[in-house]
Structures are given as C-alpha cells and as structure tokens.
Amino acid sequence: EDTIRGLVAEATSQESDYPTRQRAINALVANHGEFAVPALVEKLGNADDHEGQILAISALSQLRTAAVLPLLVALQSEDALLVQNAAAALLLIGDERATPMMIHLAKDERANVAAVAQRFVAKHGAKGAAVPAMLQQSQRYLAGDIPLGGYSEVVWQLVDGKLVASDVPALLFPSELAKQVAATALRIAPNELEVRSALAQANLAQAYLIESSLAQGDESVQALQPVADELKIAALASGTDALRDALRDGLAQSLPAVSVGAIEALARAEIIDSIEQSTLVAALEATDKRVRYAAADALVRASRGESLPESKRVVNVLANAVAEEMVRTVQVIAPSEETRAAVQATDKARNIAAVAEATAVGGIRSLLLNPNVDVVVINENLPDRQPEDVIGKAFGASYASLVANTRIVVIAKDEEKSRERFGDEVGILVGPLTSENLQTAINTALEGVASPAGERAEGYAARASKALQMLASRKADISGALDTLALQLDRGDNVAGPAANALGLSGTPNQLPALAQALATTSSDELKKAVAEAMGNVLSRMDRCPEEIAMALMAAMEANGDVAIRTSIAIALGKAKLSADEQLQLMRKLNRVATSPSEG
C-alpha cells in the first residue's frame, strides 16, 4: 500500500515531469494493476486538486481493463465529483462492462455525472433501459462469460466511502460478479420479479458451487460452508415466485448450479396449493440428470407426497435415480451433431451424467462453473481453440483445486500421433465418437482413481429411495419403481432401508424373493427388521403365503438370535396366510418351556 501511494503521488503530482509521471504509471500497471485503483480514486474526489483529478483519470485509463471493476463499484459513491471522474475514466477505457451502469447514470439528477454517462452511451450506441441491461450482464457472468484478462482473485466493495478488496476463490468469482450486478439492479428496481430472481440465482449458484466443491474434496472452500448456508437463506427470502423464475432461467441457460440450487430451495419454499404451476415440473424434462433427479425429489418433498403433479413421470425419474451407484460426471467438448447424439445417449446410461459443449470457450466456462467433473473429453479439433488451451486454462495452477480428481481424454483420429502430442497422462479415444466408445473411455480413464462419484450416487439413490417411501406411505402409485427398488436391498441402509419400507407399503408378490434374499444375506440388523416387516405387509395383502417364502421366514427365525429381529419375523409370519402344515411346523419351532435358559 505504501509503495502504491508513493507511485500514485508521483503519477498525479503537478510537480512531477512527464517522464517521472509515466514511469510511476508504468510501475502501477506492471506491478499493481487493480490494487492501484483505490489510491487513484481518492484523487478523483479531491475537489482541491483539479490537476490531480485529471492526472488520476489519465493513469486509470492506462490501467485499462484492470481498473474497470473497482471503478464500477466507485460509481456507487455519494460523492458526485468522484462519480463524475470515475465515469470519465471509464469513458476513456471504453470497456463494455460499464454499459449497464452508464445507461443508468445517463438519467442521473446530477447533471455533471449524467453528461459523462450520456457520452459513454452515445459512443457505444447503447440502447434500452438500465435494469434489463444489468440482468443480461448478471446472466452472462453466471454463465462464466468473463472477458480476456477479466478474472481476478478479489472483488471490490465500498466501505465507508472507500474501495476495499475481498478475496474470492476463482470458483466463485463469476457468480460474485453476477451477484454484485443483480444487487445494483435491486437498488434501482426492488419490486421487479426478474431482479429478485437474478439475485436469488447468484446466491443459489454460489451455495451450490461451495457445497459441490466440498463434496468433490476441494478443501480450499472448507471455510465457506457457513457462507453457503447464509446464501441459501438470502435466496429463500427472495420469495417463491423469484425461486420459480430462477429455476426457469437456470433451465433455459443450462446452468446446473442455478437449477439445482433453485430446486433445493423450492423443495422447502414451494406453495402446495399451486405446486402444479411450479417450474419444478418442467425440470423433470431437463437434459441434465442431476437436475431431473433433484426436481423429482423436490416435488415429493414440497407436496409431501400428496396431490403430486406428474406423478408417473416423477416415479420414473426416481426409479432411475435410486438405481445409481457410481455417477460419473463427464464434460464433452467437441463440435457436430454426432457428438450431441452420442452424449445424450451416454447421459441416459446408468451411472453416467454427461453434458456437451461445442466450443473450447464454452467448455472452459462449463468446467469452471461445474467443478464436480470426473472426466473431460476433448476433440483434437475445436473451432475456436486448441485442446492444449482448454487443458492449460482449466487445469492450470490457478484452477487446479477445482479439477483435482478430473481425468482428460482426447478424441483423435491417430492414436500414436496423439500420444506424442498429449503425453501418457491423457487418454486417447479413437473417433468417431459413439456412446459405446465414450463409455469405454470413461471407464478406462477412471480405473483405480479415487473419486467422490460413489458418494454422489449414493446421495441420489438415498434421496430417491426416501421419496418413493414417502409416496408409498401416501398410497401413491409407485408400481413403475417396485422392481428397481427390490434390486437396491443389497445397498447401504440409507438406500435399502427406505426401499424395503416402500416395498412393504406398495410391493407385490413379485418382490418377495428379493426381500427373502435380503433377509437371509444382509448383515444389518436394522435392515433385517425393515425387510421382515415389509414381507409381512406384502403377505397381508395376499390370499396365501408362498411355501418358499414361509420357509425363508422360518429359516431366518432360526438363524437370528436378536429379539427385535425375531419379533419382526414373527409379526410377518402372523400376517401371512400359512397352510395348516406350515402353521403347525412354525408353532413347533417356536415352542418354549417357561424356564430359565440356563435350566432349559
């Protein structure tokens, strides 16, 4: 700070000659960049130093793009002279990021401020109103649309009239800019739905990115967990209508961070009397399975399993989600319609969530906005960049923590030449791309690689299993998921337990063999009790108990010494319509003399 202040003093002093001033400015540009702006902005508001104001504007114009973001924050100052001069510096720099704010200031009641802003607007041919322009800018930031050289490790705020920098992880920088722009729009139009929605989207995206990065093993954001909770609270306070609108925009812009964040919020905030009008219903058709799974679960939670809109579609989506065991998230960066078809087919495969981008720039943005990616598949020929550019940008030192567990595969025509070009650390997929060879390349790339994919899938499956249990408890039709639920009884208790309960409530004789197998093989006492109870409930709805099921229950009774398990099995047998021989055999097995175990 002392060094910067010394250089700023030289650069803005009338007593310095031109070479001295220029050397100081060159040092500010080369060594300090945006961090030189606060000291220069102080000069802009010094009414007693007219020449210093002019020289500070000149210095800021030479900082160019590095000065833009702090200067935009300075425009919110209550000091009219400072705002006028900050606008003048932005006019000289000519960066389009200033356009929405300049449109707003062009109608400012401070004539000197408005005059500068009007010159900017005229120079750039800007049309329309300020708030829509701000909302468009916020959306672009959310989509990762940051100009070349526009990324930073800090964002700027006005604190007691002074510019202050706050550290922000690279992961959150675009969404933080989106939030700042949306917050500015909110001050201008606090009652507009689109504005509240834009701010909610930024908050939701940040919360999702923090939590998904933590799940991916990125310890650099560990301290931000409490912040994620506060961001979600702020989004919930924006209103259900704003959350619905946020989900609609997230779906339209293919922004999973916004979409899933909005879905999770709506699961808690949705209005049950009008839930059929919710954008959650449209999210069931999303191309991204993460969004579909979240939407189905949210609809069940929000409706509490009653009056569920699109119930058949919800059950079908949950049936797919409950079967997930190792969801591997894949980002494909390659042009052509064939690529899109192969990726869409792969996304429908069990245990893979695949998305596509047609350009290198789009792929880089997607990677930086969605850090929980297991494999990146890049075509050797891209329309706008080289594969090396994608690898260098997304996997460089600044972003290494975002993709620490990610593997790279290149689609190529000649495997040998590609090995020479990319090295042994990169997998090679010999094109053309198909769903089959893409899945093979994914599995090969991830062989022996530690990844959170299993935990991620277990989360999908556990939520889906609980949702289906809730639907079954409300007597909803979950027939489309019964066979899939029966296949999950060998999973952990968080998946298998609710699955067993759902089968007990809605299951048919077709699922009894799977329940009997689980009762005989699981090592979990809690699951044994749940399975036995489920079998009893299914048997109570049948005219007679199949002989093999009766024998399985009796065998389980003999094999288990735990009183609670034996009690659950006894209740199941009591609900079963046993034959006379089976009933006699059961009573003989259970006959006990009322004496001490040590004496018996």
Side-chain angles (χ1 to χ4, degrees):
E1 237 178 88
D2 290 341
T3 301
I4 290 171
R5 288 192 176 280
L7 291 169
V8 168
E10 287 185 10
T12 59
S13 173
Q14 297 181 57
E15 298 177 2
S16 300
D17 59 17
Y18 175 78
T20 300
R21 288 198 299 270
Q22 194 57 48
R23 278 196 299 272
I25 292 172
N26 291 344
L28 290 170
V29 171
N31 302 324
H32 304 289
E34 62 187 313
F35 295 100
V37 176
L40 288 166
V41 165
E42 285 185 24
K43 296 289 183 181
L44 298 182
N46 187 349
D48 297 326
D49 186 3
H50 180 71
E51 188 67 24
Q53 295 171 40
I54 295 172
L55 292 171
I57 291 171
S58 175
L60 286 164
S61 71
Q62 293 185 60
L63 282 169
R64 302 198 64 76
T65 58
V68 171
L69 293 179
L71 281 174
L72 286 174
V73 174
L75 292 178
Q76 299 171 20
S77 171
E78 295 179 0
D79 185 334
L81 177 62
L82 189 155
V83 173
Q84 170 196 304
N85 288 330
L90 286 165
L91 174 63
L92 290 174
I93 295 169
D95 195 298
E96 294 286 350
R97 288 175 290 176
T99 300
M101 195 63 184
M102 289 299 193
I103 294 174
H104 172 60
L105 291 177
K107 297 181 179 180
D108 199 277
E109 60 185 14
R110 298 165 294 186
N112 58 332
V113 172
V116 179
Q118 287 164 9
R119 288 178 60 192
F120 185 101
V121 169
K123 180 179 178 180
H124 293 271
K127 306 291 184 183
V131 169
M134 289 178 181
L135 296 181
Q136 290 177 8
Q137 185 176 55
S138 182
Q139 278 286 345
R140 289 198 301 271
Y141 283 147
L142 270 184
D145 188 1
I146 308 294
L148 188 65
Y151 267 92
S152 174
E153 297 176 352
V154 300
V155 293
W156 294 90
Q157 296 173 289
L158 271 182
V159 179
D160 297 329
K162 297 185 180 298
L163 283 172
V164 176
S166 298
D167 292 341
V168 174
L171 171 70
L172 301 178
F173 182 72
S175 53
E176 189 63 39
L177 293 186
K179 187 166 63 175
Q180 284 190 340
V181 175
T184 301
L186 188 68
R187 287 192 289 272
I188 299 169
N191 295 322
E192 289 192 19
L193 170 61
E194 292 83 357
V195 175
R196 287 187 286 117
S197 172
L199 188 56
Q201 289 176 50
N203 282 318
L204 292 166
Q206 286 196 316
Y208 172 84
L209 289 169
I210 291 169
E211 293 181 339
S212 61
S213 295
L214 287 171
Q216 189 75 1
D218 183 2
E219 296 182 0
S220 68
V221 295
Q222 186 69 49
L224 293 176
Q225 177 62 70
V227 177
D229 295 333
E230 292 300 320
L231 292 167
K232 288 189 282 188
I233 289 170
L236 285 166
S238 67
T240 303
D241 55 349
L243 294 173
R244 287 178 174 181
D245 199 69
L247 175 53
R248 184 199 65 212
D249 286 352
L251 294 171
Q253 301 294 326
S254 298
L255 298 173
V258 173
S259 298
V260 176
I263 288 168
E264 290 297 323
L266 283 167
R268 304 170 67 182
E270 192 52 82
I271 302 166
I272 193 168
D273 292 337
S274 62
I275 194 170
E276 71 280 353
Q277 301 170 20
S278 174
T279 44
L280 285 170
V281 176
L284 292 171
E285 296 297 323
T287 55
D288 190 320
K289 69 170 58 175
R290 295 169 293 183
V291 177
R292 294 196 302 273
Y293 292 168
D297 174 56
L299 279 166
V300 174
R301 284 191 282 156
S303 68
R304 302 175 188 86
E306 299 175 354
S307 302
L308 178 67
E310 298 291 342
S311 58
K312 187 174 181 179
R313 285 165 64 194
V314 170
V315 169
N316 288 339
V317 172
L318 291 173
N320 289 328
V322 81
E324 297 287 9
E325 296 180 11
M326 183 66 71
V327 176
R328 290 162 163 175
T329 305
V330 181
Q331 174 71 64
V332 178
I333 306 172
S336 85
E337 289 298 322
E338 291 79 4
T339 295
R340 188 174 295 108
V343 171
Q344 289 175 349
T346 302
D347 184 65
K348 294 176 182 177
R350 186 176 179 183
N351 302 333
I352 296 177
V355 293
E357 286 287 347
T359 66
V361 170
I364 291 169
R365 288 174 182 164
S366 184
L367 284 171
L368 299 182
L369 292 171
N370 300 289
N372 54 341
V373 175
D374 297 300
V375 182
V376 180
V377 182
I378 312 171
N379 197 294
E380 65 178 346
N381 296 312
L382 296 171
D384 54 340
R385 297 283 194 282
Q386 294 296 318
E388 290 87 347
D389 297 326
V390 177
I391 296 169
K393 180 66 174 177
F395 297 83
S398 299
Y399 306 101
S401 64
L402 307 186
V403 287
N405 296 312
T406 303
R407 293 298 176 268
I408 304 169
V409 173
V410 171
I411 306 169
K413 291 183 179 179
D414 189 313
E415 182 173 0
E416 187 175 341
K417 288 182 179 179
S418 295
R419 292 276 179 215
E420 293 176 2
R421 177 179 175 185
F422 297 104
D424 293 334
E425 295 299 314
V426 172
I428 304 299
L429 188 164
V430 178
L433 186 69
T434 67
S435 178
E436 291 74 17
N437 63 17
L438 176 56
Q439 292 182 56
T440 299
I442 293 166
N443 292 332
T444 301
L446 292 174
E447 280 180 4
V449 175
S451 169
E455 292 181 16
R456 192 186 306 141
E458 198 75 5
Y460 295 142
R463 288 190 294 272
S465 187
K466 289 176 183 176
L468 289 166
Q469 177 187 336
M470 179 181 285
L471 289 177
S473 71
R474 300 292 191 271
K475 301 188 183 305
D477 180 6
I478 65 165
S479 56
L482 292 175
D483 288 340
T484 305
L485 284 169
L487 295 173
Q488 312 313 313
L489 296 173
D490 60 350
R491 305 275 292 273
D493 282 10
N494 59 344
V495 177
N501 294 335
L503 291 172
L505 293 163
S506 298
T508 70
N510 292 337
Q511 288 82 49
L512 280 173
L515 287 164
Q517 176 70 15
L519 183 62
T521 58
T522 183
S523 59
S524 167
D525 289 351
E526 288 302 313
L527 184 56
K528 284 181 181 179
K529 288 185 285 184
V531 167
E533 290 169 9
M535 293 177 73
N537 289 336
V538 174
L539 290 169
S540 70
R541 298 191 290 270
M542 297 173 61
D543 294 334
R544 61 173 297 277
C545 176
E547 181 180 355
E548 63 276 12
I549 299 301
M551 292 301 102
L553 285 167
M554 291 184 199
M557 180 73 82
E558 288 189 274
N560 286 279
D562 183 271
V563 172
I565 297 173
R566 289 169 59 80
T567 300
S568 296
I569 296 171
I571 292 171
L573 286 165
K575 292 179 179 180
K577 282 79 170 179
L578 300 175
S579 67
D581 287 344
E582 290 167 342
Q583 192 69 54
L584 178 61
Q585 184 178 354
L586 174 62
M587 291 301 98
R588 285 176 175 170
K589 288 179 179 294
L590 295 178
N591 185 44
R592 294 289 186 274
V593 176
T595 185
S596 166
S598 62
E599 296 176 9

